[in-house]
Amino acid sequence: MYAFPSHTAASIPTSDETPTSDLPPLLVLRPLSDTWLSALNAKFTLYSPSSPLSASVHAALISGAYNRVDPALLDQYPSLRCLVNTGAGVNHINLEECKRRGVQVANVGETHSKNVADYAVGLLLDVMRRITMSDRYVRNGLWVTRGNYPLGSKLGGKRVGIVGLGSIGSAIAKRLEAFECKISYLSRKAKPTVSYRYIPNICDLAAESDILVVSCALTKETHHIVNKQVLQALGKEGIIINIGRGASIDEPELVRCLAQGEIKGAGLDVFEHEPNIPKELIELENVVLTPHQSVFTPEAMAEVIQICIANFEAFFTGKPVITPVVAD
Amino acid sequence: MDKIGVLVTHKPLPYLEQELTRRGCRLFRLWESPESRRLEFCRENSSEIRAIVGNSNFGADAATIDALPKLEIVASFSVGLDKVDLPKCKERGIRVTNTPDVLTDDVADLAIGLTISVMRRIPSADKYARSGAWKKGEYTLTTRFSGKRVGILGLGRIGLAIAKRAEAFDCPISYYSRSEKPHPNYTYYSTPIDLASNCDILVVACALTEETRHIVNRAVIDALGPKGVLINIGRGPHVDEPELVAALVEGRLGGAGLDVFDNEPHVPEELFALDNVVLVPHVASATIETRTAMADLVLGNLEAHFLKKPLLTAVV
């Protein structure tokens, strides 16, 4: 489905001749689908990493699934002044190094927030109401032979603690309010414009929540922010949902707590060592496990393409990028 | 409720069974008899049975009511009363109660949960993740839920609760009802086909009556179409099940989230192989909190009746 732009494609220069097209040159550092390729080819001259001209290109399209933007990469492409990232997270980008070198970094703004928030709510409802597990029960013929499936838990009225109230966390909170959940949050700073309760310490947040939702960016500060103490504070009736980054949670500790009933259940779209999922999780019935899916819908992909193009066009006309990465 | 005979039609919540016993009721467990013997069981115990606790699978049909001359009240452990012969109860002066409101939130929650589950294919993604297939390749794209047009058949308590939740996902709301309701933000359609033609997700949230049987028929399924999703948290007979199965298998309908079926616990096996279908075993009110609240309503209604006080949630 995805491939690097081909050397034999007519639009991509294969030698160090000057390109005949006067579309601005764009370095593509991640594989692309045909939908992407046709949209980008209409506006830019695409270069792949193996092109000899790649080191002279000023703008590049990147993705956390394929790239680490570190000093080595920035040295490899020393002419870069603009990076546009297609995914939701930016933990793979050394933002200080980019700033130091005068490289603007853009992501895709709030495009991913809706899908990720929908998925977080979907995972939560699945865990509370046992949707995946009872679907499996039905398909295995057990409703006929064993009778009713065990009862689930009501979502309404439950206390939800959101770790990271950025664009995604806010979208999750807005949705869960309609289910009559009581929302509290942790963020680097309190947000005076929101009506939710701010709890500055993550153990306190966990202690006062029935459900913990991890929706923060992965940084040095948030690495393993959900650790043993937090999981103990969340407690035996607690549920945890992670649609951020696997490394925000101490995964071996999480697995141990789930296996031993020290927390009640989890919905996980991300893991510390994707695509590997701990074997012990696979054996549990109180978890829902999905393969880092939360952003991937065609609707979002279409929007992502448009926003990336808009960012590059702004850059090439000397304007600042439209959706710069904002550290909140 | 000392020594009052109560026919319990289904295996009850343990809390309900304990409470009925604690209050002195004599329980007659209908579900323990084979189906062919059930009327006989009723007749054998008819001198004692003054109340029925029914549910969505077995309420009180005409034959059962006829077999119980001392029956005074049917307290259904459900909000739907399609399995209770209401005209017969009215004729005999038998009271009928149900469990409205306490389950509205859970049912609406499940409707949304099923919708996201179907559109984002969560059960299928979970299976993919557990199988190790993720190591070999990425899962496919799935369909966004936010912003999609949600059409609701029936804008009662449950329909409104579904609408409120869907609005938080920026979904435009439309509905069909016997008559237009005072909700200017929601678009009214005067026929189910018009509703189905103008929404992406069709949710069945009306009561099952003679008029609404097969309200989702072939024409409505066709109008919903190959990108449309049907969510049924009503009753199996709301939908023409063979037509639904054919449409899903043939790709004429985009997907379905089903909590109810024509002949529970039997689910058409042709659906088992489909990734765009989520099948759950009639669990819309199946949380410990809500089932306890439903039990409290059943107990409250029974107690009120036998103490000659006003019933809490009488329908007849």
Side-chain angles (χ1 to χ4, degrees), chain A residues 115 118 129 135-136 139 152 154 158 174-175 179-180 282 284 287 289 293-294 296-299 303, chain B residues 106 109 120 126 130 140 142 144 146 148 164 169-170 272 274 277 279 283-284 286-289:
Chain A
N115 274 345
D118 289 357
R129 303 300 302 273
D135 170 274
R136 191 152 305 164
R139 285 177 207 246
K154 182 175 171 141
K158 294 283 159 50
K174 171 188 166 191
R175 283 151 176 73
F179 293 81
E180 294 179 20
I282 292 174
L284 295 175
V287 299
L289 310 168
Q293 273 296 291
S294 67
F296 291 114
T297 69
E299 297 89 341
E303 284 172 21
Chain B
D106 268 357
D109 289 355
R120 302 305 306 274
D126 175 282
R130 283 180 208 248
T140 63
T142 55
R144 172 185 278 174
S146 272
K148 292 291 159 66
K164 172 184 165 195
F169 294 81
D170 299 324
F272 291 178
L274 302 178
V277 170
L279 309 164
V283 292
T287 66
I288 188 76
E289 295 93 333

Side-chain angles (χ1 to χ4, degrees), chain B residues 41-56:
Chain B
F41 180 82
C42 290
R43 282 185 212 111
E44 281 166 10
N45 296 292
S46 60
S47 59
E48 291 192 65
I49 294 173
R50 293 168 66 188
I52 293 180
V53 172
N55 76 342
S56 56

Side-chain angles (χ1 to χ4, degrees), chain A residues 131-168:
Chain A
I131 295 175
T132 286
M133 283 303 146
S134 61
D135 170 274
R136 191 152 305 164
Y137 186 81
V138 169
R139 285 177 207 246
N140 287 335
L142 298 175
W143 193 14
V144 177
T145 55
R146 281 199 205 159
N148 287 332
Y149 195 73
L151 297 177
S153 302
K154 182 175 171 141
L155 178 59
K158 294 283 159 50
R159 303 165 301 166
V160 176
I162 299 184
V163 182
L165 200 74
S167 171
I168 292 172

Side-chain angles (χ1 to χ4, degrees), chain B residues 1 21 69 94 106 149 177 194 201 212 221 233 264 266 285 300 312:
Chain B
M1 287 197 283
T21 307
I94 295 168
D106 268 357
R149 301 167 300 168
S177 207
D194 282 346
I201 298 153
T212 62
I221 291 169
I233 44 80
E264 296 171 16
H266 299 280
S285 65
L312 306 178

Side-chain angles (χ1 to χ4, degrees), chain A residues 95-111:
Chain A
L95 294 169
E96 292 95 45
E97 191 62 28
C98 288
K99 188 168 176 180
R100 202 177 66 73
R101 296 182 190 222
V103 180
Q104 293 187 69
V105 182
N107 59 5
V108 293
E110 303 200 344
T111 302

Side-chain angles (χ1 to χ4, degrees), chain A residues 32 60 74 103 116-117 120 134 161 186 230 235 270 285 323 325:
Chain A
L32 294 177
L74 293 168
V103 180
V116 179
S134 61
L186 168 71
V230 174
V270 286
E285 281 204 15
T323 49
V325 173

Side-chain angles (χ1 to χ4, degrees), chain B residues 18-57:
Chain B
Q18 283 154 27
E19 279 299 306
L20 285 167
T21 307
R22 191 180 67 75
R23 292 162 200 227
C25 298
R26 218 165 108 63
L27 299 185
F28 295 91
R29 297 172 175 80
L30 187 66
W31 84 89
E32 286 179 348
S33 288
E35 243 180 273
S36 52
R37 272 218 72 232
R38 284 182 186 167
L39 273 180
E40 215 182 304
F41 180 82
C42 290
R43 282 185 212 111
E44 281 166 10
N45 296 292
S46 60
S47 59
E48 291 192 65
I49 294 173
R50 293 168 66 188
I52 293 180
V53 172
N55 76 342
S56 56
N57 268 340

